[in-house]
Amino acid sequence: MTKLIFVDIYVKTALIMFGKAMAGMTFKMIYIATSEIYPTTARVTAIGVGSAFARLGGAISPYLALSVSWL
């Protein structure tokens, strides 16, 4: 068996928050870049489809989390 590395809870929390901030920043950068590249009709359609899938994923995710065995 491998030993788990003990990391303080504050370090874990800081790393999680850093990762979340970087993911958010990346999304915002991609959102701005694509709004400059693509025409309005394609951009609106893509944002609508992406929003629909995001809402679908948000609705399904609790059921997926409950169906996974965490043993």
Side-chain angles (χ1 to χ4, degrees):
M1 283 192 161
T2 60
K3 291 186 178 184
L4 296 175
I5 299 172
F6 176 75
V7 179
D8 193 21
I9 187 76
Y10 299 113
V11 174
K12 287 181 184 178
T13 304
L15 289 174
I16 290 170
M17 294 304 293
F18 179 74
K20 184 173 174 66
M22 291 298 112
M25 185 175 64
T26 303
F27 173 76
K28 290 173 187 163
M29 288 171 39
I30 290 172
Y31 189 81
I32 291 170
T34 55
S35 69
E36 296 293 329
I37 295 172
Y38 295 107
T40 302
T41 54
R43 186 174 63 238
V44 169
T45 302
I47 289 173
V49 170
S51 177
F53 278 112
R55 290 178 185 269
L56 181 65
I60 293 174
S61 64
Y63 299 109
L64 292 176
L66 290 175
S67 68
V68 175
S69 175
W70 297 100
L71 298 177

